[in-house]
Amino acid sequence: MLRFVRRRGAETDRPGVPTLMIGAGSTGRVLAQALLDDPRGMRPIGFLDADSDHGRVCGLPLLGRPEEIAEVAARTGARAVVLALPTMSRQSVAELVGRAWAAGLALRWLPACPEHGRRGVRVQDLREIRLSWLIGRDEVSVAGSRAGRLIDGRRVLVTGASGTVGAALSREIARLGPAGLWLVDQDAGRLDLVQREITGSRQVAADLRDPQRLARVFDEIRPELVFHLAGRSELAPLELDPCEAVMTNVRSAHHMVESAVRLGAQRFVLVSTDKAADPASVFGATKRLAEMVTQTAAGGPTCFATVRLGNLIGTPGSLLSVLASRIPRNEAVTLAHPEVARHFMTVEEAAGLVLEAAALAEEAETFVLDMGGPVPVVDLVHRYAEQLCLPEVTIRFSGLGPGEKLAEKVFSDGERRVRTAHPKIWGTRPEPLPPGLPRLLGALYEAADQGDDAAVRILLRRLLPEYHPVRRPGPTFTSSGSTDPETL
C-alpha cells in the first residue's frame, strides 16, 4: 500500500507520489513534463482545469475542475497537488490551498515571477506550503502493521462515517482488507456520498438514540470491531442544549456499548476529545461521561479503548477553511482571545490514531497523540498568511464564550499518563469509577428525556467533580494584525 505522509518538507520528493496538476495551460504542461522526466519526484496522474472537457494533455487525462479536487483525489488516490497557475489571484490560491489540505494532500504552488518569462518555469520554482509549519511540529505517521493485522479479515462497523474523521477512517479500514465494512450514520445523504467512494462498503442509516433500531443493526451485522465516532461536537449549541448533548453523546454511546457487549464484539473504540480532560463545557462533560460509560463494561470479552482527538486542521469548516475564505479578501478574522491555544492534528493523524489505539488497547485505556504543547492560534493565523505571501492580517477578538478555555490539555490533572508501544502515542489507565454511577446515569437520562436542562446541569456536576462550567459572555475587542470566522 502506498502511504503518503507529509513530513519535514520532503513529502513530495518520494518516488512516484501520485500528483494532480491544477492548470493545463502552457505552465502546467511544462511542469508536468518535467515531473514525468524525473522518476525521483512527484508523478503527475492528471490535470484539473477550469476548461476541462475530459480530454488529454501531455498524455494525461483532464479529470475535472479545480474545485473538484477532493472528489478527484479520492477517486484517483492522489496524494499531492501542484498549483501551476502563476497568474491566479491570491484569493483563488488560498481557496485551493484550503481544499487541498481538507483533502489531505501535500501541496506545492508556483508564484508569479518575472524571470519565468525570460527562462521559463522550472520544478525548482515550486514553493511548498507546509502544514507542519502551521501546527509547529511534523505530522506523525501513526497507523502501522498492528492496525493492519487487527483489521484484516474482520467485520468492522464505523458510526459517524459521514463525518470528516469517520470517512477518513473508513477509507483507511477499507484498504486493510476487512471481511466487511459497514458505515453507519443518521445523515443518509452524506453517508451515500462516502459509501460510493469506498468499494465494498455498505451503508446503514440509523439514529443511535433508538435502542431498538441499533439492536437490529448489530443483530444483522454482528461486527467484530466497532469504532464509535457519531455524536455532536458544536461547543456553543450544546452549551445551550445540554439535554440534546446527553442524549446524543452519552446515551447513544451507552446503547452502542451495550450492543457491542451483547453481540460479543472483540473490540470497541470510542472517539472522544481533548475537551473531555477536566471539562469546562457541556460538550466536554458529555464526552467524558461517554468515556466512563465504556469503562463500566470493561473486564469482559470485549476490549474497550478511548481516543481523544485535538482540533482538526485543514477540514471543511475548520480554522484553515475560514482563513482561506477571509484573508485573501482582506477581511478580518475573529478569534476568541489573543492567548487562546489549541492542539491541532490532521485528519490522517486522527484516523491513524484511532486505528492504532484499537490495536494497542488492553483494559479501557484512553489514548492521545503526542502533539507537543498547544499552538497559539494567533501564531497559526500569521504563519498561514506568511506562507501564501498574503498581506498583513487583521484579527478581532470576541472574548471567550461559555465553555471555552484559553488552552486545552489532553489529560486531566488526576490522570497518570503512561507510554505505549508506539513512540508518539500516550495512554492512561482508567481511574476507579465513582460509586452510584449507574443510578446517576439513569437520573441523567430521565432528566434529558424530560427536557429538564437545569436538572441535567446539576447531574453533570454530581457525576463529574472535575467539571467546572465556565460562563463568561466575552466583550468584543480588537487587535491589529486580523481574523473573523467562527471563533476558536
Side-chain angles (χ1 to χ4, degrees):
M1 177 184 71
L2 174 62
R3 183 174 180 80
F4 181 63
V5 181
R6 298 182 291 271
R7 189 183 299 138
R8 292 194 180 278
E11 62 269 23
T12 51
D13 292 328
R14 294 185 179 184
V17 174
T19 302
L20 295 174
M21 307 293 298
I22 296 185
S26 57
T27 300
R29 292 195 295 270
V30 169
L31 284 173
Q33 191 59 58
L35 291 171
L36 288 168
D37 292 339
D38 180 4
R40 299 168 301 168
M42 296 172 283
R43 174 170 55 85
I45 60 173
F47 287 90
L48 299 176
D49 195 88
D51 297 324
S52 170
D53 60 0
H54 298 282
R56 299 186 75 83
V57 174
C58 294
L60 300 172
L62 282 163
L63 298 170
R65 301 171 61 85
E67 59 267 27
E68 298 171 327
I69 185 171
E71 296 87 343
V72 174
R75 188 173 72 243
T76 61
R79 291 293 180 267
V81 61
V82 170
L83 270 63
L85 293 168
T87 60
M88 179 179 283
S89 70
R90 289 179 300 187
Q91 175 183 329
S92 297
V93 169
E95 289 175 351
L96 283 173
V97 167
R99 291 178 186 272
W101 276 336
L105 301 173
L107 189 143
R108 287 189 179 181
W109 69 298
L110 186 70
C113 177
E115 292 187 8
H116 293 165
R118 295 192 297 271
R119 59 165 172 76
V121 296
R122 303 175 302 182
V123 172
Q124 298 94 304
D125 296 326
L126 290 172
R127 289 188 184 177
E128 185 177 17
I129 302 178
R130 293 185 293 165
L131 195 57
S132 61
W133 193 57
L134 294 181
I135 60 179
R137 61 177 177 81
D138 295 330
E139 189 176 359
V140 179
S141 178
V142 183
S145 58
R146 277 184 296 264
R149 291 193 298 269
L150 177 71
I151 299 298
D152 185 34
R154 289 187 169 89
R155 300 164 67 84
V156 184
L157 182 150
V158 179
T159 73
S162 76
T164 301
V165 178
L169 175 66
S170 300
R171 285 191 288 268
E172 192 67 20
I173 290 172
R175 297 187 185 106
L176 297 176
L181 174 58
W182 285 263
L183 313 179
V184 181
D185 205 290
Q186 187 174 0
D187 190 332
R190 290 178 58 189
L191 184 61
D192 185 58
L193 293 176
V194 173
Q195 190 266 334
R196 290 181 190 177
E197 296 179 13
I198 304 175
T199 303
S201 65
R202 282 164 274 188
Q203 59 175 296
V204 180
D207 184 345
L208 304 186
R209 293 172 297 186
D210 181 349
Q212 285 76 33
R213 170 63 175 145
L214 190 59
R216 291 194 298 271
V217 169
F218 269 76
D219 286 337
E220 179 181 336
I221 297 172
R222 306 189 74 84
E224 297 166 273
L225 306 176
V226 178
F227 296 90
H228 180 49
L229 291 83
R232 288 191 57 183
S233 59
E234 311 95 322
L235 193 68
L238 293 182
E239 205 65 31
L240 298 174
D241 194 353
C243 293
E244 168 66 16
V246 167
M247 299 302 290
T248 305
N249 290 343
V250 189
R251 197 169 195 179
S252 293
H254 210 149
H255 293 328
M256 287 290 299
V257 167
E258 290 175 339
S259 294
V261 170
R262 179 176 63 85
L263 267 297
Q266 294 178 11
R267 290 179 184 251
F268 183 105
V269 179
L270 169 75
V271 174
S272 184
T273 169
D274 58 0
K275 293 173 178 61
D278 289 337
S281 63
V282 168
F283 167 53
T286 55
K287 296 304 282 187
R288 176 64 190 127
L289 277 180
E291 294 177 2
M292 292 166 64
V293 163
T294 65
Q295 288 179 236
T296 64
T302 302
C303 181
F304 287 90
T306 292
V307 177
R308 287 181 186 160
L309 304 182
N311 286 55
L312 296 178
I313 194 166
T315 61
S318 71
L319 175 62
L320 280 191
S321 66
V322 176
L323 300 184
S325 66
R326 290 181 178 264
I327 292 179
R329 297 185 176 94
N330 294 321
E331 295 178 1
V333 182
T334 300
L335 302 181
H337 191 280
E339 297 178 16
V340 74
R342 296 288 181 262
H343 289 104
F344 289 101
M345 63 193 310
T346 67
V347 175
E348 186 176 55
E349 286 178 327
L353 176 60
V354 173
L355 280 173
E356 195 69 8
L360 291 170
E362 294 178 354
E363 49 177 315
E365 301 95 335
T366 296
F367 296 98
V368 301
L369 183 69
D370 184 356
M371 296 175 280
V375 178
V377 178
V378 168
D379 290 356
L380 187 149
V381 172
H382 288 303
R383 289 172 188 168
Y384 175 86
E386 182 180 337
Q387 284 212 45
L388 289 176
C389 304
L390 295 170
E392 185 71 13
V393 185
T394 303
I395 304 176
R396 291 180 182 148
F397 300 101
S398 61
L400 291 170
E404 288 186 299
K405 300 178 183 178
L406 272 180
E408 303 290 352
K409 52 188 178 182
V410 292
F411 290 120
S412 69
D413 291 339
E415 291 175 323
R416 182 176 61 89
R417 68 179 190 174
V418 296
R419 291 193 176 275
T420 72
H422 193 292
K424 284 293 185 177
I425 296 177
W426 288 91
T428 182
R429 301 297 182 187
E431 297 293 314
L433 294 171
L437 178 62
R439 176 179 56 82
L440 287 172
L441 282 174
L444 180 70
Y445 299 154
E446 183 178 354
D449 272 336
Q450 295 173 355
D452 191 339
D453 288 347
V456 164
R457 294 183 195 279
I458 291 171
L459 285 162
L460 286 176
R461 290 195 292 272
R462 288 184 63 187
L463 281 157
L464 299 169
E466 69 271 29
Y467 168 44
H468 299 290
V470 179
R471 294 180 176 81
R472 47 161 98 82
T476 300
F477 56 101
T478 307
S479 163
S480 184
S482 131
T483 33
D484 176 26
E486 303 164 27
T487 59
L488 272 177

